[in-house]
Amino acid sequence: MAPKATHCREGEAGYNVSLDSTMGDTQRSQTISSDLQRIAQQAADYPAMIFTALAHKIDVPFLREAHRRIRKNGAAGTDDVTAKEYAENLEQNLVTLHERLKSGTYKAPPVKRIWIKKEDGKERPIGIPAFEDKIVQRSVEMLLSPIYEHEFYDFSYGFRRGRSQHGAITFVRESCIRQNINWIISADITGLFDNINHAMLKDLIRQRVNDGAILRLIGKWLNAGVMEGDILTYPDQGTPQGGVISPILSNIFLHYVLDDWFAKAALPRMKGRCFIVRYADDCVPRAL
């Protein structure tokens, strides 16, 4: 029998963390990492648990750790603030950022869109979030990842720490040899990041994370808009292009609508041997 869903506030489960402002950066990072590991362990131990209180963990030290984990060499977003400029007054910037997050007044800025040429001569869009928004997105990603790592299937390889396209290829080769697979299908989900349904995505997230503050932040990113030149548009579907949060959101979406469907609905009906491997929005179903 499946365990009954449990609504848990992490403070009630003993996950409050006291971070002394005098601690060194290394010790702070270790403390935050340990806390995230405890969240991961709880997610593994209680697979039906619904996390309802995560946002309170995003304090100034947590934002500082998120800042440490993001790339600093990207182009500036719509606010024209570079990573170097933001770091010149980092502590005060993080304090005021935390105040806005805590009060609910934080506004997600639009994503800047530019176009770059591909090898075939065509162009593809690139999204550039504002640097400060990257910090907030990374903070939420840091909270979601340890929970969903225990949800995702082993055949999912895209956008996951410790996994790569090379691992996916190895999985394909070894599975074909072991199961003596005779034919394959290679599929690509066209325009995944541009076409994810907002309402469906949030409904899927609520099955595991139902923290109002986290969901409101995700909603702000989904509705922040895209700035291309002087034109601002508001797509009614899709995740923030180029956003730090987009990989985990797309993985959550595909976990439920593709991976879970294959494992629970398609695979049991198969008469022969089969498996699937997914890397981001590319998947390779194979069968005998």
Side-chain angles (χ1 to χ4, degrees):
M1 181 180 295
K4 184 178 180 181
T6 304
H7 293 263
C8 173
R9 287 187 173 274
E10 288 184 306
E12 297 168 0
Y15 290 141
N16 286 330
V17 179
S18 177
L19 293 175
D20 190 333
S21 60
T22 63
M23 293 166 61
D25 288 343
T26 299
Q27 191 172 353
R28 282 198 196 91
S29 295
Q30 291 174 348
T31 302
I32 291 171
S33 294
S34 297
D35 197 29
L36 294 176
Q37 289 171 9
R38 286 193 289 270
I39 293 175
Q41 189 61 54
Q42 190 176 22
D45 292 342
Y46 303 98
M49 176 180 290
I50 300 173
F51 289 81
T52 60
L54 293 170
H56 72 277
K57 290 188 174 295
I58 305 178
D59 54 13
V60 173
F62 200 93
L63 291 169
R64 190 182 301 113
E65 175 64 12
H67 172 269
R68 187 186 69 82
R69 295 189 183 193
I70 61 177
R71 292 174 53 195
K72 311 297 192 301
N73 58 350
T78 53
D79 60 358
D80 293 324
V81 176
T82 65
K84 182 178 179 180
E85 291 169 339
Y86 195 87
E88 290 174 356
N89 194 21
L90 179 61
E91 289 305 307
Q92 185 58 44
N93 286 335
L94 294 180
V95 168
T96 57
L97 173 58
H98 176 248
E99 291 172 352
R100 282 177 280 141
L101 289 170
K102 190 175 181 179
S103 65
T105 58
Y106 178 78
K107 295 183 179 180
V111 174
K112 179 191 291 186
R113 175 178 287 171
I114 62 173
W115 294 80
I116 63 172
K117 287 189 176 181
K118 299 168 61 175
E119 293 182 357
D120 59 4
K122 297 181 180 179
E123 291 186 327
R124 68 183 181 96
I126 296 293
I128 306 174
F131 182 77
E132 184 175 69
D133 201 45
K134 292 180 183 179
I135 298 174
V136 184
Q137 290 188 33
R138 177 61 73 197
S139 296
V140 173
E141 184 274 336
M142 287 164 58
L143 291 171
L144 295 181
S145 287
I147 296 171
Y148 283 100
E149 271 301 307
H150 296 282
E151 295 286 307
F152 297 152
Y153 289 93
D154 285 341
F155 57 75
S156 171
Y157 278 83
F159 308 131
R160 296 176 65 187
R161 291 183 179 87
R163 293 171 176 255
S164 66
Q165 62 268 44
H166 302 293
I169 293 172
T170 299
F171 186 97
V172 169
R173 183 180 65 246
E174 293 178 352
S175 297
C176 284
I177 294 173
R178 183 175 62 254
Q179 299 187 42
N180 191 26
I181 298 297
N182 292 332
W183 58 271
I184 66 174
I185 298 173
S186 178
D188 174 83
I189 301 173
T190 303
L192 169 67
F193 288 98
D194 295 329
N195 294 292
I196 289 178
N197 182 281
H198 291 175
M200 183 182 295
L201 173 62
K202 287 187 284 187
D203 285 343
L204 294 174
I205 293 173
R206 288 189 186 97
Q207 295 184 28
R208 197 67 161 119
V209 176
N210 196 16
D211 181 311
I214 296 294
L215 290 170
R216 281 191 293 274
L217 278 173
I218 292 173
K220 289 180 180 182
W221 290 320
L222 295 177
N223 297 307
V226 176
M227 180 70 76
E228 187 171 348
D230 296 327
I231 301 175
L232 178 61
T233 58
Y234 294 93
D236 58 3
Q237 58 186 7
T239 59
Q241 200 172 70
V244 176
I245 196 67
S246 290
I248 183 73
L249 295 183
S250 65
N251 258 350
I252 292 170
F253 189 83
L254 287 180
H255 166 76
Y256 287 106
V257 302
L258 176 60
D259 302 352
D260 217 33
W261 165 81
F262 179 84
K264 295 179 179 179
L267 189 59
R269 291 176 170 80
M270 295 291 182
K271 296 182 179 180
R273 300 183 298 274
C274 66
F275 68 92
I276 189 173
V277 180
R278 180 173 65 80
Y279 185 83
D281 55 354
D282 296 293
C283 63
V284 182
R286 285 163 153 75
L288 174 63

